[in-house]
Amino acid sequence: PVWAALEARAGDPAPAVVELQGGHRTVTFDQLERRVRELAAGLAAEGVRVGDRVALLVPPSADLTAVAFA
């Protein structure tokens, strides 16, 4: 799956996403992988299943990256 590379880097402290707009924020691969898992679990708890299409409004950010993987 597309997220396999992200799972493989769980625990990696290297930067995965760097936000430069509206300040400076760095998210590590470890943090991103954890957030993707949390979001995916939340979506599943709300009834979202594989193959479902959903629309989420998320500004361009590390959060958008996490939602896209989730």
Side-chain angles (χ1 to χ4, degrees):
V2 72
W3 59 87
L6 181 59
E7 287 178 335
R9 294 193 72 173
D12 187 343
V17 180
V18 178
E19 292 181 1
L20 299 175
Q21 207 163 11
H24 184 276
R25 175 180 170 204
T26 301
V27 177
T28 67
F29 279 99
D30 185 53
Q31 292 168 324
L32 180 60
E33 191 273 336
R34 265 188 280 136
R35 187 67 181 134
V36 167
R37 266 190 293 117
E38 291 168 355
L39 288 166
L43 290 168
E46 290 298 320
V48 177
R49 300 290 175 248
V50 173
D52 287 352
R53 293 176 186 247
V54 297
L56 301 168
L57 298 176
V58 182
S61 63
D63 295 330
L64 176 60
T65 302
V67 167
F69 276 104

